[in-house]
Amino acid sequence: AQTVTQSQPEMSVQEAETVTLSCTYDTSENNYYLFWYKQPPSRQMILVIRQEAYKQQNATENRFSVNFQKAAKSFSLKISDSQLGDTAMYFCAFGLDGNKLVFGAGTILRVKS
Amino acid sequence: GAVVSQHPSWVICKSGTSVKIECRSLDFQATTMFWYRQFPKQSLMLMATSNEGSKATYEQGVEKDKFLINHASLTLSTLTVTSAHPEDSSFYICSARGTGGNQETQYFGPGTRLLVL
């Protein structure tokens, strides 16, 4: 069974600075997908970024980028130029063959002005 | 694209009554939808996987007679909490599996807050 670990329960960052959220996972599969979802105070889950395991290139979406280390089973999220609207709970998730996602416990990120 | 809605967003009911929550994919067809439960400041807990035209697959420990799921069309899945009790109070979220090149991605509804008195 797959597991996802987010070791940082809470983090804070100053506005305009950069922050990195950690995620590790465990699987014996070779082809899979990894996701970062954001859940702001409204509790709407929003897809931030997704990575296909067969792609070596790290995914980027504007200010959001990942550092995908397949051998180390690590999938960290970097947020550049942090904004107040980035304050949210961030979940790392593992997906396989379109089946259910396995979520980490989440990291609460607070952006301070 | 890939918008998922849920209705209602808030519901308060008396103990012993049943509550139905709807999950709709607005701009795509979803053969598979998922239902989650979330407690404050915790992760999402998958309750069941809903496939259009077939019976839902429930996760271990989830009572299928308590949480009835119906996925009658490619755009609608419903979760009915039967004979609700205060311990069923929670935040319920649905998601729909994407299509085409996004089949591995789940798109989430805004959630439903259920309070059972």
Side-chain angles (χ1 to χ4, degrees):
Chain A
Q2 289 77 26
T3 59
V4 176
T5 302
Q6 293 179 250
S7 58
Q8 305 152 314
E10 296 189 27
M11 293 191 70
S12 62
V13 62
Q14 285 294 128
E15 202 174 2
E17 294 189 347
T18 296
V19 64
T20 299
L21 308 184
S22 301
C23 173
T24 59
Y25 59 94
D26 188 27
T27 185
S28 58
E29 302 291 336
N30 190 48
N31 295 317
Y32 49 87
Y33 294 78
L34 295 163
F35 306 85
W36 279 99
Y37 283 91
K38 164 185 176 181
Q39 189 178 40
S42 68
R43 301 189 79 175
Q44 165 77 63
M45 291 282 285
I46 301 166
L47 176 67
V48 176
I49 201 164
R50 126 186 170 150
Q51 173 81 43
E52 293 90 341
Y54 63 85
K55 289 186 177 179
Q56 291 186 333
Q57 187 173 5
N58 289 324
T60 63
E61 285 289 343
N62 301 313
R63 298 183 294 109
F64 299 88
S65 61
V66 298
N67 183 3
F68 174 47
Q69 301 289 330
K70 191 173 184 179
K73 298 179 182 175
S74 171
F75 184 61
S76 61
L77 175 69
K78 185 172 83 171
I79 305 174
S80 303
D81 186 25
S82 296
Q83 300 176 0
L84 295 177
D86 295 333
T87 292
M89 192 152 185
Y90 287 80
F91 292 100
C92 178
F94 175 99
L96 190 63
D97 294 336
N99 291 324
K100 59 186 178 183
L101 294 178
V102 177
F103 285 91
T107 296
I108 297 173
L109 175 67
R110 293 186 176 88
V111 180
K112 300 179 178 179
S113 58
Chain B
V3 179
V4 177
S5 70
Q6 266 183 257
H7 178 80
S9 56
W10 252 112
V11 58
I12 302 173
C13 69
K14 293 182 179 180
S15 186
T17 60
S18 294
V19 175
K20 180 185 283 188
I21 303 170
E22 293 185 348
C23 178
R24 294 182 184 272
S25 55
L26 297 184
D27 52 0
F28 66 105
Q29 293 183 330
T31 56
T32 303
M33 291 184 173
F34 302 86
W35 287 96
Y36 297 85
R37 184 173 179 175
Q38 186 183 31
F39 293 103
K41 296 189 177 181
Q42 293 189 23
S43 190
L44 280 67
M45 181 186 77
L46 180 66
M47 298 174 66
T49 301
S50 167
N51 292 296
E52 187 267 336
S54 64
K55 291 184 178 180
T57 302
Y58 290 83
E59 294 299 302
Q60 192 172 9
V62 177
E63 299 177 59
K64 61 181 180 181
D65 295 330
K66 171 77 171 175
F67 299 98
L68 299 177
I69 292 172
N70 186 358
H71 194 156
S73 79
L74 287 172
T75 59
L76 174 65
S77 176
T78 60
L79 168 68
T80 301
V81 183
T82 62
S83 186
H85 292 285
E87 58 266 29
D88 298 323
S89 298
S90 191
F91 188 64
Y92 293 88
I93 311 175
C94 73
S95 71
R97 181 177 158 186
T99 58
N102 292 317
Q103 285 187 47
E104 309 303 327
T105 302
Q106 289 185 25
Y107 298 93
F108 287 83
T112 297
R113 290 171 175 80
L114 170 62
L115 177 61
V116 185
L117 302 177

